[in-house]
Amino acid sequence: MKSKRIQARSFKQLLQEELVARCRSNPNYSLRSFARSLQVEPSALSQMINGKRPITEKMKMRLGSALGLTTDQLRRLPASAEAMQGHNEIRIQFQQLTMDSFAVISDWYHYAILELTYLEDFKSDAIWIAQRLGITKSEVNIAVNRLLRLGLLKKNEKGKWIDASENGELTHLSPSETSDAARKYQIQLLELSQNAVREIAVKKRNHTSATLCFDPEDLELAIERIADFRRSFARDFQPKKAKDVYQLQISFFPLTKQKDNV
């Protein structure tokens, strides 16, 4: 693992991010495969990644070494948010939620999972969700745990997962974090859109565009109009019985190069 990839704020988060990255590069990769590469029991690794088992300093050094991290890098990386020194409980909880929020607005499938809960045949089952979204079970489990911690997902009296979000409200993030997360999220959506063009029949999707002359001074008004349309569209198509989750994406940007960017 190259040092430039170490962006996590705790070793637990690093394990989560590394597992998700490996699953994306290889759809057949699993938590069991990850555990095998780290020479640790899958059940133990699962508990550590999900915060159900503390990561000791000895275990952090052992697993970190297997990931190719140096001793110096590992010493600077706390085992988990809970292991950080000099922070009170409220601060630690807020920091964990901030990490979770950053991940939620970075990865498209968090929102998709919330929308899945409205489907007629929805199942509170990681394997079912993974199959419907085309992601791995490990990605689902990590995402569901984040959504539960944030209060965006909860269990009803029957134990079924339900959407508990309020207009997508998340905990507060710094402008730089929000910008980075939003950028990553939009890149993922563009990649998904490209896949849809290649793999999904035209009758089941819609990709259209318009090329027009435009005055950049009207950009603020244009963005407001697009936002109004997006909200109106979402309200008009709230089905009583949903069968699938769709992604509405609108792109609007200058094709001409900007002089101040030259």
Side-chain angles (χ1 to χ4, degrees):
M1 178 184 292
K2 297 181 180 179
S3 59
K4 67 179 182 180
R5 289 183 55 189
I6 304 176
Q7 299 176 347
R9 295 171 188 161
S10 71
F11 188 72
K12 182 177 76 173
Q13 187 185 12
L14 184 142
L15 287 175
Q16 293 175 339
E17 293 177 354
E18 182 65 17
L19 174 58
V20 169
R22 294 188 183 193
C23 287
R24 283 180 184 159
S25 62
N26 179 7
N28 294 320
Y29 200 82
S30 65
L31 185 139
R32 187 172 294 276
S33 303
F34 192 32
R36 190 182 305 116
S37 72
L38 297 176
Q39 297 184 331
V40 65
E41 287 296 320
S43 58
L45 182 61
S46 175
Q47 291 176 339
M48 286 186 281
I49 285 178
N50 293 318
K52 297 179 180 178
R53 174 173 174 169
I55 302 175
T56 64
E57 190 67 17
K58 182 178 179 180
M59 181 61 74
K60 182 186 75 171
M61 301 303 288
R62 173 187 159 191
L63 299 182
S65 176
L67 288 172
L69 299 179
T70 66
T71 300
D72 187 54
Q73 289 172 330
L74 288 168
R75 284 174 178 168
R76 295 199 303 265
L77 196 63
S80 65
E82 293 78 10
M84 296 178 187
Q85 300 297 319
H87 296 284
N88 58 36
E89 184 177 355
I90 294 177
R91 173 60 182 169
I92 291 172
Q93 291 175 348
F94 179 79
Q95 187 167 34
Q96 179 62 60
L97 292 180
T98 299
M99 293 176 187
D100 289 336
S101 299
F102 183 84
V104 167
I105 60 178
S106 294
D107 293 312
W108 65 272
Y109 48 81
H110 290 87
Y111 295 114
I113 290 173
L114 293 178
E115 289 301 314
L116 275 179
T117 63
Y118 294 100
L119 301 190
E120 289 182 278
D121 60 342
F122 174 71
K123 296 179 181 179
S124 300
D125 178 77
I127 294 178
W128 184 89
I129 293 174
Q131 292 174 339
R132 289 306 305 266
L133 296 182
I135 59 179
T136 66
K137 179 183 175 183
S138 295
E139 288 176 302
V140 173
N141 284 329
I142 291 173
V144 166
N145 282 326
R146 285 179 183 142
L147 292 169
L148 289 170
R149 280 196 299 267
L150 286 168
L152 299 175
L153 190 71
K154 68 179 182 180
K155 291 183 179 181
N156 63 13
E157 61 279 1
K158 296 182 179 180
K160 183 178 180 180
W161 293 332
I162 60 174
D163 179 11
S165 64
E166 297 179 2
N167 299 318
E169 291 294 332
L170 301 175
T171 55
H172 295 293
L173 298 172
S174 73
S176 62
E177 287 178 318
T178 304
S179 177
D180 290 342
R183 188 179 299 111
K184 178 182 174 183
Y185 177 70
Q186 291 301 327
I187 289 173
Q188 288 182 357
L189 293 185
L190 289 172
E191 292 173 347
L192 290 171
S193 181
Q194 291 179 31
N195 291 337
V197 172
R198 288 191 291 263
E199 301 170 4
I200 300 176
V202 174
K203 64 181 180 180
K204 291 188 176 182
R205 61 175 175 79
N206 185 267
H207 280 78
T208 58
S209 63
T211 303
L212 65 156
C213 295
F214 186 76
D215 186 346
E217 292 186 1
D218 293 329
L219 185 58
E220 186 175 345
L221 176 60
I223 292 174
E224 184 179 335
R225 290 281 296 276
I226 291 172
D228 288 341
F229 164 74
R230 189 180 67 245
R231 287 189 287 264
S232 176
F233 185 92
R235 285 194 300 268
D236 291 343
F237 291 94
Q238 285 292 332
K240 294 182 179 179
K241 295 182 179 180
K243 297 181 179 179
D244 285 299
V245 175
Y246 271 65
Q247 179 71 39
L248 172 65
Q249 186 175 1
I250 302 171
S251 298
F252 191 67
F253 53 88
L255 291 174
T256 48
K257 299 298 182 182
Q258 305 300 288
K259 293 181 179 179
D260 53 0
N261 288 339
V262 177

